[in-house]
């Protein structure tokens, strides 16, 4: 180190106080360099599958050729500020400013085109003249976000002369300072490297530049941008889903590196937007109100905050900051008078109502605003009020709150498209988006083929299933039924009762009688119920938690002991407030298996489906794979193997403080792969990685999820430890694969070592993704691809081990394949064996008689997380505080823990 540095450091050290003395009883921790720590990366593909009937499939990837590969993308960072040095924070201004820089200073920029991400990054092909450039631009058309205090709210006829001159121009001009400084250069060759499977930081950045060009192209056409999806302001693309919310159809567009080369993936996409037009119309729809006078204005204030409106007659745009405290006819403001001055020579002010001002001074007739609050577009201390009927919501404003069950159902129904219709729409999108004319793409020599890419698919045969009386059969088209069949392992129901919260809408005696009859047909022997408990009329007005308490008091007073099973009749088909408290009471306080139902339209088919769930919860099995019974599952039947399904579910986008819920489902009773149990924990909101797989609280005690799963496997599988652990992980994106492979897998390994230091099981880690934009179509057929269709070439990753599988029969809309990424395989599966295992696991879902679109353990993890998530909904704040075993990291918010399930149900399929 040179003396200059030493001196500098010395000076800094002298100014600090001396370190505190080390207490005598402290044993210093030895610093160990973790040389053994291996960083795992996703594995490479070992081969492709060959089994199944070959078929040609079309996919919504369009082949891209890149002409120039020897140039460089130059990355510059952008800093925007106002002339007084304040940074620009408003969204959307950035693009206008950079566009103006591009127009004004074309020569200083060597006429180069920009790819700008709208925020802090800008890319060019080849360098700009200097590494650091500074520009000043003036924008006239930045609509002011506020008006001056109590000036006339849309600036047409202000009482004060000076203000009038300033405001008569409908827009303010603003001056911006722009700094563009060199950050990095990215060789275009990196795109070619990615196609050869040599992925690097550079190749990801190069593809990001191409995606940013697509975003910029859409922004210039006035689209709403949501990541790589683009939505145009076109009425034909809007569909009303209720509550003042519209589904808006647009399209997703992104470049992907695939085995077949670079491709452009285009798909239909839908987002939710606020119904544009008069604010009052939106509020009426949002609250389902009869007229403006019956609106809840507190609710209105919450939903309107920060939305953008246009005001007539000036057509100016503002952001809503709130509502007036009083009605339009009562809300006063101080208007400065033009012609009368006080003794100091200042204009006198007149107290006048908003209504009076607009009606008498502006001659704008207001039909209904007088008795409603005004919209405030000013600052908290300097409000600016506008009568509500003059305000219209601007189009393409995203609605980000959680949808109701009704809205979600409506959105799904209205946005689905048959395969043929979707193909036509996508061809149209590619034609009208006119990417060929985009100057940046032209400069890169990018050329996009307009044909759907052809890939080779294979259709795997359905696995043979076993039901009761030793009968085997093959499902047809991904479906089967239990007509004239018995369940493979029916349970016996002796001590049970019916609980009726739904009276007087149904006759519980009839339901019990029909359930016993249907059970008999399927091989389930059900004794008559011990009793039927109807809710007392006086309890119906109480809160859900208290209603459940009262019902249990009734049950306890009559039943001699805890029942084996309770059938619960709920009043609502979806989202009953009683569901969470009822499940919680049964599972975590009493350990009773329970099945809820809503008794509308009950028939034999409905009751048979209900019995499938009841049988699985009570420990029975409805059907199983024949190869489980023989047992002859490749790689699994010979070696004790546990199969795990992992998922984390988060609160809806608007809820930032709702804990996330991690669920891990694990197989039991090896060599079966049809029986599972679940462990569920809460964790910090929006945390995607599961942090409770291994949780040592002392040298001897681990309270993590994995210990529970492994011990249960051991006791249910004849005292065998699993030598193979197959993990299916849902809901993670490609950027998180390394965390799954390192952070999560490390916890699983530590949990194993904690149980037995010398135990070294082999691992397989597979991520399942549904949230992608690749779709498949049958060539020359209007129907969806057949169940069992697997694709592991062309549109798959250039190097990594991934494949797409459509296991289910797509009945409506276009089938969405599941994209499986095999990140690790220490067992050594062949491509065929692994694809067949995944396919088979889509046939062991006990709740239905169909193949499902993703492996059963992942579906069960979703179910377990959402069921226990209902437990949390109805707890009050005091109950969920940290005093109830909440985990609090320093500075983090306390996360309430879920109640533990009773031992007798914790290993059951309670989530079925």
């Amino acid at each position: 180190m040179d003396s200059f540095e030493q001196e500098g450091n010395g000076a800094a050290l002298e100014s600090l106080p001396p370190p505190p003395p080390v207490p005598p009883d402290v044993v210093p921790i030895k610093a160990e360099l973790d040389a053994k720590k291996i960083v795992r990366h996703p594995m490479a593909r070992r081969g492709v599958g060959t089994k199944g009937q070959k078929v040609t499939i079309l996919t919504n990837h369009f082949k891209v050729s890149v002409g120039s590969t020897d140039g460089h993308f130059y990355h510059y960072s952008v800093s925007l500020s106002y002339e007084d040095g304040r940074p620009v924070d408003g969204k959307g201004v950035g693009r206008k400013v950079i566009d103006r820089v591009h127009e004004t200073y074309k020569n200083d920029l060597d006429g180069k085109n920009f790819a700008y991400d709208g925020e802090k990054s800008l890319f060019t092909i080849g360098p700009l003249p200097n590494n650091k450039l500074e520009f000043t631009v003036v924008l006239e058309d930045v609509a002011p976000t506020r008006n001056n205090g109590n000036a006339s709210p849309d600036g047409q006829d202000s009482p004060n002369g000076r203000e009038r001159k300033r405001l008569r121009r409908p827009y303010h001009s603003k001056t911006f300072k722009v700094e563009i400084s060199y950050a990095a250069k990215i060789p275009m060759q990196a795109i070619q490297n990615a196609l050869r499977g040599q992925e690097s930081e550079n190749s990801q950045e190069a593809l990001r530049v191409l995606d940013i060009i697509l975003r910029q192209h859409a922004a210039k056409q006035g689209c709403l941008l949501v990541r790589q999806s683009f939505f145009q302001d076109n009425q034909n693309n809007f569909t009303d889903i209720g509550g003042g919310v519209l589904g808006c159809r647009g399209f997703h567009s992104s470049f992907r590196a695939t085995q077949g080369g670079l491709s452009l993936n285009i798909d239909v996409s839908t987002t939710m937007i606020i119904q544009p037009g008069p604010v009052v119309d939106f509020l009426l729809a949002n609250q389902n109100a009869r007229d403006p006078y019956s609106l809840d204005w507190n609710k209105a204030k919450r939903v309107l905050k920060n939305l953008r409106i246009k005001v007539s007659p000036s057509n100016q745009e503002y952001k809503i900051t709130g509502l007036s405290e009083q009605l339009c006819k009562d809300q006063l403001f101080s208007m400065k008078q033009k012609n009368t001055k006080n003794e100091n020579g200042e204009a006198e002010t007149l107290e006048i109502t908003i209504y009076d001002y607009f009606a008498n001074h502006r001659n704008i007739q207001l039909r209904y605003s007088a008795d409603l609050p005004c919209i405030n577009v000013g600052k908290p201390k300097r409000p600016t009020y506008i009568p509500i009927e003059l305000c219209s919501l601007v189009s393409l404003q995203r609605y980000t709150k959680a949808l109701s069950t009704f809205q979600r159902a409506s959105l799904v129904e209205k946005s689905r498209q048959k395969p043929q219709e979707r193909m036509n729409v996508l061809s149209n999108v590619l034609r009208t988006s006119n990417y060929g004319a985009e100057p940046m793409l032209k400069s890169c020599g990018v050329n996009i083929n307009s044909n759907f890419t052809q890939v080779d698919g294979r259709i795997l045969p359905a696995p043979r299933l076993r039901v009761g009386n030793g009968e085997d059969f093959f499902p047809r088209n991904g479906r089967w039924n239990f007509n004239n069949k018995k369940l493979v392992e029916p349970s016996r129901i002796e001590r049970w009762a019916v609980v009726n919260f739904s009276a007087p809408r149904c006759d519980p005696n009839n339901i019990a009688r029909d359930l016993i009859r249907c059970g008999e047909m399927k091989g389930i022997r059900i004794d008559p119920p011990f009793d039927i408990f109807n809710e007392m009329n006086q309890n119906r007005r109480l809160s859900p938690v208290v209603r459940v308490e009262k019902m249990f008091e009734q049950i306890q007073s009559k039943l001699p002991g805890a029942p084996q099973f309770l059938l619960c009749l709920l009043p609502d088909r979806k989202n009953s407030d009683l569901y969470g408290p009822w499940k919680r009471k049964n599972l975590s306080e009493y350990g009773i298996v329970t099945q809820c139902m809503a008794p509308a339209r009950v028939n034999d088919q409905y009751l048979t489906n209900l019995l499938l769930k009841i049988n699985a919860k009570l420990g029975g099995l409805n059907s199983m794979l024949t190869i489980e019974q023989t047992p002859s599952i490749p790689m699994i039947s010979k070696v004790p193997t546990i199969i795990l399904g992992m998922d984390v579910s988060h609160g809806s986008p608007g809820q930032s403080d709702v804990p996330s819920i991690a669920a891990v489902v694990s197989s039991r009773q090896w060599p079966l792969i049809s029986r599972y149990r679940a462990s569920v924990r809460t964790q910090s909101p929006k945390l995607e990685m599961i942090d409770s797989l291994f949780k040592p609280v002392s040298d001897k005690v681990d309270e993590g999820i994995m210990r529970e799963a492994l011990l249960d496997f051991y006791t249910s599988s004849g005292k065998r430890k699993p030598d193979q652990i197959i993990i299916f992980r849902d809901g993670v994106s490609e950027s998180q694969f390394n965390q799954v492979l390192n952070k999560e897998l490390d916890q699983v390994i530590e949990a194993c070592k904690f149980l037995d230091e010398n135990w070294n099981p082999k691992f397989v880690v597979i991520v399942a993704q549904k949230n992608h934009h690749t779709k498949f179509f049958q060539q020359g057929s209007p129907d969806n691809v057949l169940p069992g269709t697997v694709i592991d070439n062309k549109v798959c990753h250039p190097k990594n081990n991934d494949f797409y599988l459509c296991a289910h029969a797509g009945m409506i809309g276009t089938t969405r394949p599941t994209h499986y990424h095999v990140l690790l395989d220490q067992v050594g599966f062949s491509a065929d064996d692994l694809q067949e295992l995944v396919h088979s696991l889509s046939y062991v879902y006990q709740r239905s008689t169909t193949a499902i679109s993703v492996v059963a353990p992942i579906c069960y993890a979703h179910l377990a997380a959402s069921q226990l998530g209902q437990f949390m909904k109805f707890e009050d704040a005091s109950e969920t505080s940290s005093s109830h075993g909440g985990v609090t990291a320093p500075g983090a918010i306390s996360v309430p823990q879920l109640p533990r399930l009773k031992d007798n149900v914790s290993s059951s399929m309670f989530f079925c």
Side-chain angles (χ1 to χ4, degrees):
M1 182 191 284
D2 64 31
S3 58
F4 173 78
E5 279 188 353
Q6 272 180 320
E7 222 168 90
N9 286 343
L13 289 171
E14 274 167 28
S15 62
L16 292 170
V22 178
D25 55 345
V26 167
V27 180
I29 297 168
K30 189 172 158 201
E32 286 183 18
L33 284 173
D34 200 352
K36 291 191 307 228
K37 180 90 183 89
I38 308 159
V39 177
R40 304 179 196 92
H41 296 287
M43 68 178 284
R45 183 188 306 281
R46 291 181 187 146
V48 293
T50 56
K51 285 190 179 169
Q53 176 197 333
K54 293 190 171 34
V55 59
T56 302
I57 299 284
L58 296 176
T59 175
N60 58 340
H61 283 241
F62 300 87
K63 196 157 177 41
V64 176
S65 57
V66 183
S68 62
T69 55
D70 47 0
H72 285 81
F73 289 122
Y74 278 71
H75 178 190
Y76 294 88
S77 58
V78 176
S79 157
L80 303 179
S81 55
Y82 296 108
E83 47 190 333
D84 60 5
R86 283 179 305 128
V88 173
D89 50 1
K91 273 199 170 168
V93 180
R95 286 191 191 276
K96 290 181 184 162
V97 173
I98 294 296
D99 282 349
R100 180 54 57 91
V101 167
H102 195 247
E103 283 164 30
T104 316
Y105 298 98
K106 212 171 188 121
N107 296 341
D108 303 74
L109 299 164
D110 283 358
K112 285 219 178 301
N113 288 310
F114 291 167
Y116 176 51
D117 73 350
E119 290 177 26
K120 294 197 163 64
S121 289
L122 182 149
F123 299 87
T124 58
I125 297 169
L128 292 173
N130 294 312
N131 278 353
K132 188 160 188 184
L133 296 159
E134 293 189 7
F135 302 104
T136 304
V137 290
V138 178
L139 286 188
E140 294 77 42
D141 59 347
V142 178
T145 51
R146 65 192 168 99
N147 220 304
N148 229 10
N150 291 323
S152 88
D154 61 341
Q156 293 295 303
D157 182 25
S158 163
N160 170 312
R162 199 178 70 243
E163 277 184 9
R164 186 172 70 237
K165 280 195 204 83
R166 200 150 66 89
L167 286 169
R168 188 160 273 165
R169 290 201 321 238
Y171 296 113
H172 285 339
S173 64
K174 276 211 176 110
T175 303
F176 296 90
K177 283 172 34 194
V178 183
E179 266 184 30
I180 297 177
S181 19
Y182 171 78
K185 68 176 181 176
I186 306 150
M188 289 190 190
Q189 183 61 41
I191 297 174
Q192 302 304 320
N193 296 350
L195 300 176
R196 286 199 293 274
Q198 301 163 352
E199 266 197 301
S200 63
E201 194 98 345
N202 271 339
S203 60
Q204 285 162 357
E205 277 294 288
L207 289 176
R208 188 172 86 107
V209 177
L210 294 180
D211 282 346
I212 285 169
I213 297 171
L214 297 181
R215 278 176 63 83
Q216 176 172 280
H217 185 68
K220 287 193 167 152
Q221 295 170 350
C223 291
L224 162 68
L225 311 184
V226 182
R227 293 181 293 281
Q228 284 299 127
S229 294
F230 315 128
F231 303 91
Q232 290 169 328
D233 188 4
N234 178 345
Q235 295 283 322
N236 299 334
N237 296 340
F238 301 164
T239 170
D240 188 354
I241 60 167
V245 182
L246 307 181
C248 174
R249 183 178 290 170
F251 65 96
H252 164 95
S253 180
S254 67
F255 287 98
R256 317 275 308 170
T258 68
Q259 280 177 42
L262 189 63
S263 70
L264 180 68
N265 177 207
I266 299 186
D267 193 21
V268 176
S269 184
T270 305
T271 192
M272 282 75 67
I273 60 169
I274 298 276
Q275 172 186 312
V279 170
V280 166
D281 292 355
F282 163 68
L283 291 175
L284 292 175
N286 183 249
Q287 298 187 18
N288 197 14
R290 285 190 320 281
D291 55 59
Y293 308 106
S294 49
L295 287 167
D296 172 341
W297 290 101
N298 283 327
K299 211 169 173 185
K301 187 174 178 178
R302 282 198 303 276
V303 77
L304 290 176
K305 193 165 170 57
N306 292 330
L307 291 180
R308 298 191 318 280
I309 52 168
K310 273 214 163 106
V311 173
S312 66
S314 71
N315 221 18
Q316 268 216 63
E317 206 172 290
Y318 298 95
K319 189 187 268 187
I320 298 177
T321 53
L323 298 173
S324 60
E325 294 294 313
Q326 291 168 297
L327 303 178
C328 184
K329 64 180 184 191
D330 304 323
Q331 183 70 52
L332 293 166
F333 78 103
S334 310
M335 182 173 88
K336 292 180 180 172
Q337 300 209 255
K338 294 179 194 171
N339 305 327
T340 51
K341 296 204 168 35
N342 60 17
E343 57 267 29
N344 300 333
E346 292 168 350
E348 286 198 357
T349 58
L350 173 70
E351 290 291 300
I352 181 173
T353 67
I354 302 287
Y355 180 82
D356 196 10
Y357 169 75
F358 276 87
N360 300 328
H361 291 256
R362 298 283 305 282
N363 295 324
I364 295 173
Q365 289 313 306
L366 301 176
R367 290 175 302 126
Y368 57 82
S369 295
D371 295 305
L372 303 175
C374 300
I375 299 284
N376 180 9
V377 296
K379 287 275 190 284
K381 295 231 164 58
R382 307 192 65 179
T384 302
Y385 296 121
I386 302 171
I388 199 162
E389 72 190 72
L390 302 182
C391 303
S392 275
L393 288 159
V394 172
S395 192
L396 293 185
Q397 299 192 71
R398 277 185 83 195
Y399 179 81
T400 52
K401 296 184 177 57
L403 295 180
S404 67
T405 312
F406 172 76
Q407 286 173 320
R408 189 174 292 114
S410 174
L411 181 68
V412 168
E413 187 189 336
K414 290 175 176 173
S415 59
R416 64 186 178 217
Q417 292 170 310
K418 289 262 179 249
Q420 204 57 52
E421 185 191 346
R422 186 173 285 244
M423 286 182 81
N424 295 340
V425 168
L426 294 179
S427 295
N428 216 8
V429 162
L430 187 56
R431 204 168 46 249
T432 55
S433 57
N434 197 12
Y435 287 138
E438 162 59 49
M440 286 285 285
L441 291 180
K442 256 190 185 157
S443 317
C444 308
V446 165
N447 188 13
I448 301 165
N449 187 319
S450 58
N451 297 322
F452 286 74
T453 297
Q454 270 195 16
V455 296
D456 301 324
R458 290 170 291 113
I459 300 166
L460 301 179
R464 187 199 293 254
L465 297 184
R466 174 153 297 182
V467 288
N469 299 336
E471 186 188 340
D472 285 0
F473 67 94
F474 284 107
R476 296 182 53 181
N477 198 24
R479 313 176 77 76
W480 64 97
N481 61 50
F482 276 105
N483 297 346
N484 310 318
K485 294 185 183 76
K486 298 267 195 286
L487 306 184
V488 68
E489 283 183 25
S491 44
R492 171 100 175 78
I493 304 176
E494 294 163 327
R495 304 180 319 283
W496 73 291
V498 182
V499 169
N500 183 16
F501 287 105
S502 181
R505 287 171 50 189
C506 66
D507 180 356
N509 290 296
N510 281 350
I511 289 177
R513 194 182 59 241
D514 289 345
L515 193 72
I516 292 168
R517 178 175 54 78
C518 287
E520 199 176 334
M521 284 153 55
K522 301 291 153 251
I524 301 176
R525 286 189 46 208
I526 309 175
D527 290 352
F530 184 89
D531 207 338
I532 287 171
F533 298 95
N534 290 305
E535 185 178 32
M536 294 175 189
N537 283 347
Q538 68 264 32
N539 293 346
R540 279 195 206 137
R541 293 271 159 82
L542 302 170
S543 76
V545 176
V546 178
R547 285 173 73 180
V548 168
E549 290 281 350
K550 297 274 188 205
M551 182 59 85
F552 261 91
E553 286 168 18
Q554 238 178 298
I555 295 168
Q556 280 170 309
S557 66
K558 285 220 180 158
L559 288 187
Q564 177 192 4
F565 167 68
L566 288 174
L567 180 68
C568 175
L569 311 183
L570 292 174
D572 310 298
R573 270 199 66 205
K574 288 264 190 269
N575 295 353
S576 170
D577 285 351
L578 292 158
Y579 182 86
W582 173 256
K583 286 285 184 187
R584 178 177 178 156
K585 195 83 173 161
N586 278 276
L587 295 173
S588 61
E589 290 185 35
Y590 292 100
I592 298 169
V593 171
T594 170
Q595 177 61 51
C596 295
M597 62 178 282
R601 297 201 303 278
V602 174
N603 55 26
D604 282 10
Q605 179 65 59
Y606 179 95
L607 291 173
T608 301
N609 287 346
L610 204 68
L611 281 162
L612 296 182
K613 287 153 64 81
I614 293 167
N615 188 47
K617 287 176 184 181
L618 288 168
L621 268 182
N622 304 324
S623 61
M624 65 200 296
L625 303 169
T626 305
I627 50 173
E628 282 180 90
Q629 191 121 32
T630 33
S632 55
I633 308 169
M635 315 295 281
I636 287 177
S637 298
K638 301 271 188 293
V639 181
T641 304
I642 186 171
I643 296 176
L644 305 173
M646 299 184 179
D647 182 44
V648 178
S649 62
H650 308 288
S652 56
Q655 305 170 304
S656 56
D657 53 350
V658 174
S660 293
I661 296 180
V664 176
V665 162
S666 54
S667 63
R668 50 203 312 268
Q669 294 182 12
W670 175 82
L672 293 185
I673 59 171
S674 286
R675 273 214 170 94
Y676 294 86
R677 71 182 297 283
S679 295
V680 185
R681 302 275 199 283
T682 47
Q683 57 186 40
S684 302
K686 306 285 183 264
L687 177 66
E688 186 49 67
M689 289 299 122
I690 301 176
D691 65 1
S692 50
L693 295 168
F694 176 56
K695 260 219 155 74
V697 288
S698 72
D699 290 350
K700 295 275 188 293
V701 184
D702 163 19
E703 289 186 348
I705 291 178
M706 278 311 302
R707 183 185 177 88
E708 275 181 36
L710 295 168
L711 289 175
D712 175 81
F713 181 90
Y714 183 76
T715 53
S716 69
S717 306
K719 300 240 180 329
R720 289 187 188 87
K721 287 193 292 247
D723 291 324
Q724 297 176 161
I725 298 179
I726 300 177
I727 298 170
F728 286 97
R729 178 67 162 92
D730 188 31
V732 289
S733 62
E734 273 134 76
S735 61
Q736 296 164 318
F737 286 178
N738 284 338
Q739 284 178 286
V740 170
L741 264 183
N742 293 288
K743 285 192 179 162
E744 286 188 347
L745 185 55
D746 275 352
Q747 286 185 68
V748 176
I749 292 168
E750 285 180 86
C752 294
K753 293 286 183 203
F754 199 85
L755 282 165
D756 177 354
E757 186 57 46
N758 302 314
W759 176 27
N760 292 306
K762 291 178 176 171
F763 289 94
V764 177
V765 179
I766 302 173
V767 168
Q769 288 178 334
K770 294 279 306 239
N771 210 358
H772 58 82
H773 286 280
T774 297
K775 299 286 190 299
F776 296 113
F777 306 92
Q778 284 198 62
Q779 198 169 19
S781 163
D783 297 329
N784 269 311
V785 294
L786 294 170
T789 300
V790 65
I791 282 117
D792 59 5
N793 60 78
K794 272 256 181 87
V795 289
C796 291
H797 193 279
K799 182 184 82 170
N800 295 356
N801 190 357
D802 64 331
F803 61 92
Y804 291 91
L805 174 66
C806 302
H808 64 302
M811 306 306 285
I812 48 179
T814 305
T815 300
R816 176 180 295 194
T818 299
H819 191 183
Y820 290 100
H821 301 260
V822 186
L823 303 187
L824 178 70
D825 173 14
Q826 297 175 337
V827 170
F829 278 96
S830 69
D832 280 325
D833 283 348
L834 194 57
Q835 288 168 13
E836 288 211 310
L837 172 66
V838 170
H839 188 221
S840 296
L841 283 169
S842 306
Y843 279 83
V844 299
Y845 188 59
Q846 298 297 308
R847 282 167 49 118
S848 73
T849 53
T850 60
I852 52 174
S853 63
V854 69
V855 290
I858 280 181
C859 269
Y860 289 147
H862 282 301
L863 291 173
S866 69
Q867 186 165 128
L868 269 85
Q870 297 280 337
F871 283 19
M872 313 260 303
K873 263 192 187 168
F874 301 94
E875 295 183 333
D876 61 37
S878 65
E879 247 185 290
T880 61
S881 72
S882 56
S883 61
H884 277 243
V887 181
T888 314
I893 59 163
S894 152
V895 177
Q897 292 301 292
L898 289 166
R900 288 300 169 92
L901 304 188
K902 279 280 194 240
D903 288 349
N904 56 329
V905 289
S906 65
S907 287
S908 73
M909 291 178 70
F910 66 85
F911 42 80
C912 247

